[in-house]
């Protein structure tokens, strides 16, 4: 299907609007909408935080007369009554005659029903314009609805020789302040941050988002992501710094008498304890991801040491790897990025580089597992 230059320009604008909501719309998708007539923009909008207007309603609210207009929207308009009304019906009622959609909504409550509703009302509907870009913008939402799992991003900071800490565990700081600030953007776009008990005991992190709405260039208030500690034996102490910070804490552990005894003190500090099945001696990470998907987490970020990070990679649970490389050499005695039982070159995990850019003095490299290998 061919789209005009004007269609491409308007959908590009809609994608740019959608990106403004990527830090605040979860568990809903980030959507942008531009309504025009004869190529001139009448109104535009993007999805508000849960309970607020969807992109289409936001755009319509700025228009007195939308009759015979066209909407360019990055995701299929919803057709069901949730916290807000169905957007597809709102477009119909407003008198639009054409809707261009970047990609279909995988949510079973929508999943083509919005398109059918628009077509049944006589509107011209075309799909697929910049579909890949639209899917990438909502990759966590899409994966959760298509596969029942959240999108998993593993973040690592390492020296150029692939070391994350000295043999003693000392790791502050591998990268520059600019890179650490950039990590705050990754945290802000995550529904949950996962770490392991080893990292928690060694570094006592807060795992909070420490970047402002102004720095992100957004209008709506940020929410703190769920902080998840994988702690099979429940070694976490109630004195952990995490408990003095705002936001919810989930501790994933195994179900045992010892863990049950220790759990009350952590619950009293405000943590929620989740008892999960075992994979060997450790918490089954697939079960953890299923639990997070049930909690409507679209995107989760793993900030952990070589053991837990290596487990996510080794068990095939990785969707995205973001590495911050510092121009430093730590030496062969320092700790590696991953503990991975790879013994032959043929058993390597191939990665595709999606983006490389310099952040301060460091390099940030974004990679996906290469499905062709």
């Amino acid at each position: 299907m061919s789209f005009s230059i004007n269609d491409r320009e308007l959908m590009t604008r809609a994608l740019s609007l959608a990106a403004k909501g990527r830090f605040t719309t979860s568990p809903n998708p980030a959507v942008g909408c531009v309504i025009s007539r004869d190529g001139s923009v009448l109104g535009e909008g993007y999805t508000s935080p849960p309970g607020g207007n969807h992109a289409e309603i936001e755009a319509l609210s700025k228009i007195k007369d939308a009759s015979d207009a066209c909407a360019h929207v990055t995701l299929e308009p919803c057709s069901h009554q949730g916290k807000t009304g169905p957007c597809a019906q709102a477009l119909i009622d407003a008198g639009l005659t054409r809707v261009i959609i970047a990609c279909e909504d995988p949510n079973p409550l929508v999943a083509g029903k919005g398109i059918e509703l628009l077509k049944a009302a006589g509107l011209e509907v075309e799909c697929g314009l910049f579909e890949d870009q639209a899917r990438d913008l909502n990759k966590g939402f899409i994966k959760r609805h298509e596969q029942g799992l959240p999108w998993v991003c593993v973040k690592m900071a390492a020296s150029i020789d692939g070391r994350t800490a000295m043999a003693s565990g000392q790791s502050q700081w591998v990268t520059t302040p600019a890179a650490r600030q950039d990590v705050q953007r990754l945290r802000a776009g995550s529904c949950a941050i996962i770490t392991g008990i080893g990292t928690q005991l060694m570094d006592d992190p807060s795992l909070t988002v420490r970047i402002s709405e102004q720095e992100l260039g957004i209008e709506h208030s940020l929410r703190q992501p769920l902080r998840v500690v994988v702690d099979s034996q429940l070694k976490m102490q109630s004195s952990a710094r995490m408990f003095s910070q705002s936001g919810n804490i989930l501790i994933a552990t195994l179900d045992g008498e010892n863990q049950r005894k220790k759990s009350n003190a952590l619950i009293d500090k405000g943590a929620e304890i989740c008892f999960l099945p075992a994979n060997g001696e450790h918490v089954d990470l697939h079960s953890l991801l299923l639990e997070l998907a049930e909690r409507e987490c679209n995107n989760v970020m793993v900030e952990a040491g070589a053991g837990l990070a290596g487990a996510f990679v080794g068990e095939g649970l990785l969707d995205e790897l973001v590495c911050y490389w510092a121009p430093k050499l730590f030496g062969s005695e320092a700790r590696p990025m991953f503990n991975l039982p790879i013994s032959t070159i043929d058993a390597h995990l191939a990665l595709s580089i999606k983006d490389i850019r310099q952040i301060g003095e460091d390099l940030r490299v974004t990679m996906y597992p290469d499905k062709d290998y």
Side-chain angles (χ1 to χ4, degrees), residues 222-269:
L222 288 169
R223 293 175 295 172
Q224 289 294 337
L226 174 68
R227 291 163 296 168
V228 182
V229 181
V230 181
D231 183 6
S232 299
Q233 301 304 316
L234 216 57
K235 296 179 181 179
M236 191 170 177
Q237 301 297 311
S238 57
S239 59
R241 180 166 54 176
M242 213 176 283
F243 293 117
S244 64
Q245 307 291 328
S246 62
N248 296 324
I249 301 170
L250 177 70
I251 303 176
T253 189
L254 301 178
D255 194 357
E257 182 178 352
N258 189 45
Q259 289 89 329
R260 292 281 178 179
K261 288 180 179 178
K262 292 181 177 179
S263 64
N264 289 333
L266 297 171
I267 292 172
D268 288 344
K269 293 292 290 187

